[in-house]
Amino acid sequence: MSTPKPRPRGTRSRGASAALHTVLIAASAVSVFPVLFIVFLSLRGRDGWQEPTRFVGFGLSNYRHILGETKFLTWFGNSLVVALGATVIGVLISASAGYAVSRMRFPGHRPLMWTFLVVQMFPMAVLIVPLYNILGQLELLDSYGGLILTYCSVSVPFCAWMLKGYFDSIPTEIDEAGRVDGLTPFGTFWRLIMPLARPGLAVTGFYSFITAWGEVAFASQFMSSEEHYTLAVGLQTFVGQQKAEWGLMTAAAVLITVPAGAIFFLAQRHLVAGLTAGGTKG
């Protein structure tokens, strides 16, 4: 009587594999269902959400109304300007701060990073009043610049902490080689370190963009004129005291996810490496 061969280490049985795949498929279905349901409702017309189980009446009327009869494109452009501005400025500031703390030893460099960490603990609601007063004194209320600076104040502490951990994983011999070749500290940082830090920059850039793109509280309080509305503020015009235009809101939600999905697609190959390095190095 022959004895069955033992399975190699690290392999799963068929039953375990089937159970694992079942769980993964179920988790994927739960994650995808809300998105598909929003797309489904957006194609049902302005009142289709009242009978979501009916599979009739599909069309693009919500999208035509959003793009042709509202100021959605203006809101979209404003959000794009603010989000890209916050991403570029925030990543540059975060990279400079993270590199300085990682490579240079100056009085207070350790308390600086702990200050970044503590700042992240404050909820947004607590920051609205002081930021409003500061922007008012600087005459930056209802302006792109004021909102960009506000979003940078939210994203920079986290991004600087993460990039500091990523810069720690880059050998210091590269900096020394740059100095031997006659590069200034900034030249070493810009020409040698920044290209090697692309995964970390991709993570922080994605985080900064998403933070600015979908933020509601600050934009609602700091932007007062309709021509400066971002998407978060503009969508509130679809909600009245008597009725909410859920059909239009679902169509707008689908359109809003397109830039975020595109940014994720461009950055996704760097995300795992950047998150791992930034999370394990201290």
Side-chain angles (χ1 to χ4, degrees):
M1 182 175 180
S2 60
T3 59
K5 295 181 179 180
R7 290 195 305 272
R9 294 183 61 182
T11 61
R12 291 185 295 267
S13 65
R14 292 184 177 180
S17 296
L20 177 62
H21 284 82
T22 301
V23 172
L24 292 176
I25 291 173
S28 300
V30 171
S31 301
V32 173
F33 174 76
V35 178
L36 296 180
F37 188 66
I38 292 295
V39 176
F40 173 77
L41 290 181
S42 70
L43 298 172
R44 290 288 314 282
R46 296 180 67 170
D47 297 322
W49 61 272
Q50 297 178 357
E51 297 178 312
T53 57
R54 296 186 61 189
F55 289 84
V56 295
F58 292 98
L60 299 176
S61 59
N62 285 330
Y63 293 94
R64 285 194 294 266
H65 184 90
I66 284 288
L67 297 175
E69 301 182 34
T70 69
K71 293 186 177 181
F72 179 84
L73 294 178
T74 299
W75 307 335
F76 190 94
N78 294 340
S79 292
L80 202 60
V81 170
V82 171
L84 291 178
T87 300
V88 173
I89 296 175
V91 169
L92 289 176
I93 296 175
S94 303
S96 302
Y99 179 75
V101 176
S102 174
R103 291 295 196 266
M104 303 175 186
R105 295 296 176 263
F106 52 89
H109 76 280
R110 289 188 180 276
L112 175 63
M113 295 308 296
W114 285 110
T115 301
F116 284 158
L117 188 62
V118 171
V119 167
Q120 287 293 106
M121 299 179 183
F122 290 94
M124 283 190 175
V126 177
L127 302 175
I128 290 178
V129 173
L131 285 174
Y132 187 93
N133 292 333
I134 292 173
L135 293 180
Q137 294 174 2
L138 297 176
E139 299 183 354
L140 290 177
L141 287 173
D142 194 28
S143 67
Y144 300 138
L147 202 56
I148 289 172
L149 292 177
T150 299
Y151 292 148
C152 287
S153 70
V154 175
S155 62
V156 165
F158 172 79
C159 295
W161 186 272
M162 174 170 286
L163 284 174
K164 187 266 183 186
Y166 195 88
F167 290 138
D168 286 345
S169 67
I170 298 177
T172 56
E173 288 79 5
I174 295 178
D175 302 67
E176 296 172 359
R179 287 194 292 269
V180 170
D181 290 339
L183 293 176
T184 63
F186 180 80
T188 301
F189 165 70
W190 185 257
R191 299 179 61 180
L192 300 181
I193 304 300
M194 289 288 277
L196 296 176
R198 286 178 183 175
L201 296 174
V203 174
T204 53
F206 180 72
Y207 173 80
S208 300
F209 183 87
I210 294 300
T211 298
W213 184 254
E215 200 278 328
V216 177
F218 290 145
S220 300
Q221 298 300 320
F222 300 161
M223 307 300 275
S224 56
S225 58
E226 190 171 357
E227 64 269 15
H228 289 160
Y229 279 0
T230 61
L231 286 169
V233 184
L235 291 185
Q236 296 180 13
T237 61
F238 297 150
V239 181
Q241 295 182 351
Q242 305 297 328
K243 182 181 180 181
E245 295 287 356
W246 292 109
L248 300 182
M249 291 186 69
T250 55
V254 174
L255 295 175
I256 290 172
T257 59
V258 174
I263 295 296
F264 176 80
F265 178 78
L266 294 174
Q268 57 89 21
R269 66 190 183 97
H270 296 301
L271 289 179
V272 174
L275 285 171
T276 302
T280 57
K281 302 291 183 181

